[in-house]
Amino acid sequence: MMSECGTQPGSTHHRRYFDMIEEAVFAEEMGFHGWGTSEHHFFNDIAVTPSVECLFTAVALKTSRIRLRHMSRLLPVVHPILVAEQLATVDIFSNGRVELTTARGNTLLQLDAFGVSLEETKGRSEEALDLIVNALSNDTFTHEGKHWGSIPERRLTPKGVQEPHPPLYKICQSAESSADARRRGLGMITSDLYLGWETLEEYLRAYNEVDESEVNSVGAYAVKSAASSVMTTRCAKTNDEALALAENDLLKFARMIINDVYVQLAERSPEQYGGFVRIKELRQHVDDPQWLRDNTPTILVGDPEYIIGQVQRHKEAGADEIVLRIDGGTHDEIMQTIENLGRYVIPYFSNPTGVVRSGPVGLLPGDPRQKTSYEKTIEEGAA
C-alpha cells in the first residue's frame, strides 16, 4: 500500500497524518506485505509528504510486521548522507523493516525550487545512491564525486539493524531505466503508466530479460523484484460503487499527470522525456473515468472479483509485486478499500486453498457433487 497524504478540501494536514498512521496499522492487520509513501514537496493536497522519515518512524512504532518502503526519495535534491542517517534511524525504530526506493525526480515544481535541472538528475541520483550504500555498509567511508564533492573519512551513525543495508529499489519510467535497474541489482517499481498495458509489459519484460551475468549490484546484494504501481485503487461491493468512490481522485490525478506533469517534461527536455508526448493522445479521454479505468493499468477500481482479475493480469505481465496507491478519498473510504482487499483479494494470492468458494456441496454435508439448497435458493432469487 502507498499513501501520500492526499488531503480532502475542508480537512487538515494535521488530521490526515494521523489518519495515515491508522490506515498503515490497519493494512498490517489486513495482510498487506508493505506500506510506504513517496517524498514530495510543495503540494498542498494531492501529495503532502516532505518529511518522510518522521512519518515512517511514527508508523514503525505502531506496527510490528509490515515492511516500510520509501516509495521514492528524491536523491538529486537531498544530501545522501542525510538520507543514509535517516534510513538507519528508521531501521532501528522498525526493527529492520525499512526499504529504500530511489527516484530521479521529474516534477518541475520540486526540481526548480531546489535548483536542480532535469539534465543533472540522473548523475546526481546515481552518485547519491553509491554514497548511501558506502556510508551504510562500511565502518567508515569517504567519497569523491562530481555532484556531492569531497567527503573526508567519517563514520555514519547510528548503525541500522539490517546489514549491510536495507533492500534497494528504483522508480522506472522507461524500458531502458527498467533494464538499468536490473543490471544494477535494484528492484524496480513502475510509475504512472497511463500509456497502457503494452507499455507496462515492455518495462517488465526489459527488467526480467536482463541476464544474471549482466547484473553488477550497486549494493552489497541484488534485489530481484519487478513491481507494477497503481495510482488510484478502490475496492467496493460492486464495480459501479467502486468507480463512484474513485472518480474524484482518479480524475484529479489523471488530469495532473496527463495535462501537466509529463507534457511539461517532454517540452522541457525532449531528449529524456520525449516518449511522454504520447500522453497528449490521452487528453481526449482525461475526463472519462470509465475509459481510463478500462484502458490503463495504473487504475485498479472495482469489486473483489474484478480486482483479482486485474492483479492476475499484472502478474502475467511479469510483475512480482503490485504497489497500490490508496489515497485521495475520505479516511472511511480508504479504510473500506483496505478491508475489502484484505478480506477478499489478498487471500486469493497468499492463501488460495483457504479461500471459501461457492460450488457443488452435495446431498449430504461435505458431499462435493451437489449445491446446498440455500445456494440454489440464492441463485434463483437473484435470477
Side-chain angles (χ1 to χ4, degrees):
M1 174 180 170
M2 179 172 72
S3 180
E4 296 177 324
C5 193
T7 307
Q8 297 290 289
S11 186
T12 64
H13 299 149
H14 179 195
R15 180 66 265 158
R16 184 72 193 108
Y17 264 76
F18 282 94
D19 286 346
M20 287 178 69
I21 296 169
E22 185 176 340
E23 290 157 13
V25 172
F26 191 44
E28 177 175 85
E29 179 184 337
M30 297 310 297
F32 280 71
H33 170 75
W35 175 92
T37 192
S38 302
E39 178 184 350
H40 287 290
H41 302 268
F42 312 118
F43 288 104
N44 185 54
D45 53 358
I46 200 166
V48 193
T49 48
S51 303
V52 286
E53 74 285 353
C54 299
L55 182 56
F56 272 74
T57 298
V59 172
L61 294 174
K62 292 282 190 177
T63 56
S64 60
R65 176 196 59 79
I66 199 167
R67 300 293 296 180
L68 305 177
R69 184 181 299 176
H70 287 274
M71 295 300 182
S72 68
R73 295 273 348 229
L74 296 180
L75 295 193
V77 306
V78 183
H79 200 289
I81 291 179
L82 182 61
V83 174
E85 291 170 338
Q86 293 169 347
L87 200 65
T89 304
V90 176
D91 204 38
I92 289 173
F93 282 122
S94 67
N95 287 310
R97 290 181 284 134
V98 72
E99 302 176 350
L100 174 65
T101 304
T102 68
R104 290 173 55 181
N106 57 18
T107 305
L108 301 179
L109 175 72
Q110 301 176 101
L111 293 178
D112 288 350
F114 286 105
V116 176
S117 70
L118 283 172
E119 289 68 32
E120 291 182 286
T121 56
K122 186 175 188 294
R124 289 175 69 89
S125 61
E126 290 181 355
E127 183 182 327
L129 182 57
D130 289 338
L131 177 50
I132 290 168
V133 169
N134 187 10
L136 289 170
S137 302
N138 299 298
D139 181 42
T140 64
F141 70 96
T142 62
H143 180 78
E144 189 73 38
K146 174 182 177 181
H147 300 285
W148 300 104
S150 298
I151 300 173
E153 185 176 15
R154 293 291 185 268
R155 176 176 286 110
L156 187 82
T157 56
K159 296 296 185 183
V161 175
Q162 298 178 89
E163 295 184 353
H165 55 73
L168 304 173
Y169 298 78
K170 175 187 175 184
I171 295 293
C172 298
Q173 293 180 310
S174 70
E176 179 183 357
S177 178
S178 301
D180 176 71
R182 178 64 183 132
R183 293 189 188 100
R184 302 180 73 210
L186 306 173
M188 71 163 284
I189 303 177
T190 63
S191 180
D192 303 340
L193 284 172
Y194 290 94
L195 296 178
W197 286 94
E198 289 183 1
T199 302
L200 171 63
E201 292 164 1
E202 178 189 2
Y203 292 5
L204 294 173
R205 185 167 54 250
Y207 182 87
N208 289 320
E209 288 183 352
V210 172
D211 190 85
E212 187 72 28
S213 63
E214 299 180 55
V215 177
N216 183 20
S217 299
V218 64
Y221 59 93
V223 173
K224 173 66 166 66
S225 179
S228 174
S229 67
V230 170
M231 290 299 105
T232 298
T233 307
R234 291 291 185 277
C235 184
K237 292 180 180 179
T238 68
N239 288 324
D240 288 344
E241 181 182 345
L243 191 59
L245 290 171
E247 184 170 338
N248 287 339
D249 178 66
L250 187 163
L251 291 177
K252 184 175 184 177
F253 209 93
R255 287 164 180 161
M256 180 186 72
I257 298 298
I258 294 169
N259 289 337
D260 299 321
V261 174
Y262 289 145
V263 171
Q264 291 179 22
L265 286 170
E267 292 172 350
R268 179 80 69 89
S269 185
E271 69 281 1
Q272 293 188 64
Y273 295 98
F276 290 132
V277 297
R278 291 181 58 194
I279 289 185
K280 293 179 180 178
E281 300 172 10
L282 296 171
R283 284 181 163 179
Q284 61 181 309
H285 299 291
V286 75
D287 296 316
D288 185 347
Q290 183 73 53
W291 187 95
L292 290 169
R293 188 197 83 142
D294 294 343
N295 290 278
T296 60
T298 196
I299 294 169
L300 188 61
V301 172
D303 63 18
E305 183 179 5
Y306 175 84
I307 298 288
I308 288 170
Q310 293 298 92
V311 172
Q312 187 66 38
R313 188 173 179 182
H314 284 260
K315 181 179 179 181
E316 290 169 356
D320 303 298
E321 300 180 315
I322 187 165
V323 175
L324 305 178
R325 176 183 168 274
I326 311 175
D327 203 2
T330 68
H331 178 53
D332 288 344
E333 291 169 359
I334 292 168
M335 294 289 274
Q336 177 189 352
T337 286
I338 294 171
E339 180 169 9
N340 287 332
L341 292 171
R343 289 190 184 279
Y344 306 116
V345 177
I346 291 175
Y348 184 90
F349 296 95
S350 64
N351 184 27
T353 60
V355 176
V356 177
R357 293 170 168 82
S358 62
V361 177
L363 297 169
L364 298 173
D367 190 307
R369 293 172 297 175
Q370 185 173 322
K371 292 183 179 181
T372 56
S373 58
Y374 69 80
E375 285 193 62
K376 185 176 181 181
T377 300
I378 291 172
E379 288 185 355
E380 288 175 348

